[in-house]
Amino acid sequence: MAEAIKVTIWNEFRHEQSNEQVRSIYPDGIHRAIGEGLEGTFSVKYAVLDSHEHGLTEDVLNDTDVLIWWGHMAHGDVQDYIVDRVHDRVMKGMGLIVLHSAHFSKIFKKLMGTSCDLKWREAREKERIWVVNPGHPIVEGIGEYIELPEEEMYGEHFDIPQPDELVMVSWFEGGEVFRSGCCYTRGAGKVFYFRPGHETHPTYYNPDIRKVIANGIRWAAPVARSYPRYGHAVPSLEPIKDKG
Ligand code: ZN
């Protein structure tokens, strides 16, 4: 059997500690609920904002195939040098899965180069996430749509670059739509943005949501090969005829 893909789940892990409603849904933190759906299939580690170097030391990142990122109220507390370190790893092939409110994380904005802004509303409304790319590996095992009885609304326009592949689109009870599953490549790395997962709804216990995240990990995992060489290409591979 091939070696398990190494996944690090990063979470701010502040709201769960300061807000009773959030804690009641995610008592051990959102990262642990996400990880519960992945353990046994992948090799899972956890990292949180208030750890040394936000838990994302060189050693941790070098030992990570796919990094999952959840944050919403403390994006500004993430140190820029850690963002640069994660960015460098993505360029060299580490996969990144950006969840929900991490659309405003420093790392996602740096990778996208746009504001990543959107519309939002907390009204406990129904979300129907439609699969619009049925042959894509990220939606393996998923039906026509995933329905979540209550979620926060995110609406267009979502200020992202045109996705390389658009896999899912959400419809909300209040009328808005949103590009919910977006795939990019940046350097040698793959980036998957997946929308659902507001902290006051039990979304990360939903089996289909867990399946999409697991599929996303497999899709985003690095390809085993050497990093490309850049720069002065001398000597040439083949002899070049003297043009003098
Ligand atoms: Zn939210």
Side-chain angles (χ1 to χ4, degrees):
M1 197 183 113
E3 205 183 316
I5 298 171
K6 296 174 197 165
V7 178
T8 300
I9 305 175
W10 189 90
N11 179 19
E12 260 175 28
F13 194 38
R14 285 201 181 154
H15 215 171
E16 298 95 321
Q17 302 185 78
S18 63
N19 180 291
E20 188 49 48
Q21 190 193 1
V22 179
R23 183 168 46 231
S24 70
I25 297 167
Y26 294 113
D28 302 317
I30 284 174
H31 53 302
R32 293 279 168 181
I34 294 168
E36 191 186 277
L38 305 173
E39 279 177 20
T41 308
F42 304 102
S43 164
V44 179
K45 287 193 293 277
Y46 300 94
V48 296
L49 178 63
D50 292 319
S51 296
H52 172 64
E53 296 196 328
H54 311 322
L56 299 174
T57 62
E58 296 273 7
D59 285 350
V60 167
L61 285 177
N62 288 336
D63 198 37
T64 298
D65 295 319
V66 179
L67 178 65
I68 296 180
W69 196 281
W70 196 99
H72 80 135
M73 60 193 272
H75 298 309
D77 291 354
V78 178
Q79 297 284 317
D80 289 337
Y81 80 98
I82 300 293
V83 176
D84 291 345
R85 184 184 283 171
V86 172
H87 185 269
D88 185 61
R89 281 285 294 131
V90 171
M91 290 302 124
K92 290 180 174 153
M94 181 182 74
L96 179 69
I97 298 183
V98 176
L99 296 173
H100 188 61
S101 37
H103 71 90
F104 258 168
S105 61
K106 287 183 178 179
I107 182 60
F108 190 58
K109 290 199 287 189
K110 184 177 170 90
L111 287 162
M112 296 297 107
T114 54
S115 76
C116 300
D117 211 346
L118 47 74
K119 283 192 191 73
W120 60 278
R121 173 173 64 233
E122 286 185 61
R124 304 166 60 121
E125 63 199 278
K126 184 194 284 186
E127 174 177 11
R128 200 174 280 134
I129 306 169
W130 286 92
V131 172
V132 296
N133 193 340
H136 199 281
I138 283 181
V139 288
E140 185 166 317
I142 302 296
E144 272 202 294
Y145 57 80
I146 301 169
E147 192 166 292
L148 299 171
E150 289 188 352
E151 252 292 352
E152 178 184 19
M153 184 281 291
Y154 278 4
E156 297 283 347
H157 176 244
F158 184 18
D159 185 23
I160 46 172
Q162 203 65 254
D164 298 338
E165 296 175 297
L166 179 62
V167 184
M168 285 166 278
V169 171
S170 285
W171 166 90
F172 291 89
E173 201 175 339
E176 286 85 357
V177 296
F178 190 77
R179 287 167 290 171
S180 266
C182 302
C183 296
Y184 297 90
T185 54
R186 290 292 184 269
K190 302 188 198 76
V191 179
F192 174 47
Y193 174 78
F194 188 40
R195 192 218 82 85
H198 188 65
E199 66 277 2
T200 57
H201 302 297
T203 299
Y204 293 121
Y205 299 106
N206 179 294
D208 278 347
I209 297 298
R210 288 180 164 186
K211 198 177 287 176
V212 168
I213 294 172
N215 290 341
I217 291 167
R218 290 186 197 96
W219 172 81
V223 170
R225 67 189 297 278
S226 58
Y227 191 64
R229 280 186 292 169
Y230 297 100
H232 196 198
V234 170
S236 59
L237 295 175
E238 305 286 341
I240 299 168
K241 210 183 289 173
D242 186 350
K243 306 290 197 311

